[in-house]
Amino acid sequence: MNKLNQVVHGKKEGFSLVEMMIAMAVSVIVITGIISLIAYSTRSMSITQARAALQDAAKDSVAHISTHVMEGDSVTPYEDTVTGDGVSRGALLIRKKKIKGDGTEELSWYLYWVSSGQGAGDSDMLCFAPLADLGTELSMPVPDDFDTRNDAQRLNYIAALVPAVESAGRQKRHLLCDDVSRLKCEVQQKVDPADSTSKIGKPKLHVVLTLKDDKSEFECDKDIFMRNQ
């Protein structure tokens, strides 16, 4: 009757304390949900952008490797190249042969290698350089008999060259991409069904490059046919 009198006489009744508390609780729940949704969307976008950046970097690097592998006449992957911090990381040595106008051969060597970062906590990086340029830069010229050396002997030279690059802090000069967690290269070729000890067909290089940062990870693998071998 009292409420009816208030309505009849044009008076407005205020909210009770319970109603105010319920309204505030509902508002907090709604606002919390909206904030969580925005945070989730922002985090998802950040992860997507990070993955896209890794994907682009990995694909560009593998495309770079593909170009040089297809032009090379000799490809040698190494799994145990020792770097300046004493950790073994992968490397790939490529030789290109060019016939000059006088009929003589001109050999050029190119090196891909995984190097440690320049500072503590930095990620590994994939580097690339013509071997002659790298040797000249570090006053460690490529030996004249490098072509006639075996794979283990060439590795000895590379295993001395790479730590010298890192000691001089020159990795960034030859950087292809950051955030490398793995580079694996393997020469593969079909086995002759009639003779399991023989190989047939053109060899191919199977490349796996994995990039990883604190937000995402991406792995790119590709078979590259070595048409000049």
Side-chain angles (χ1 to χ4, degrees), residues 61-75:
S61 298
V62 171
H64 193 286
I65 294 173
S66 298
T67 299
H68 284 275
V69 167
M70 288 189 292
E71 293 175 352
D73 70 291
S74 173
V75 177

Side-chain angles (χ1 to χ4, degrees), residues 98-105:
K98 179 182 177 181
I99 306 299
K100 298 193 292 187
D102 59 2
T104 59
E105 292 181 348

Side-chain angles (χ1 to χ4, degrees), residues 58 179-184 208-212 217-220:
D179 301 315
V180 176
S181 64
R182 182 173 68 142
L183 171 67
K184 183 177 181 181
V208 179
L209 177 62
T210 306
L211 305 187
K212 183 178 181 180
E217 181 177 2
F218 181 79
E219 182 174 283
C220 182

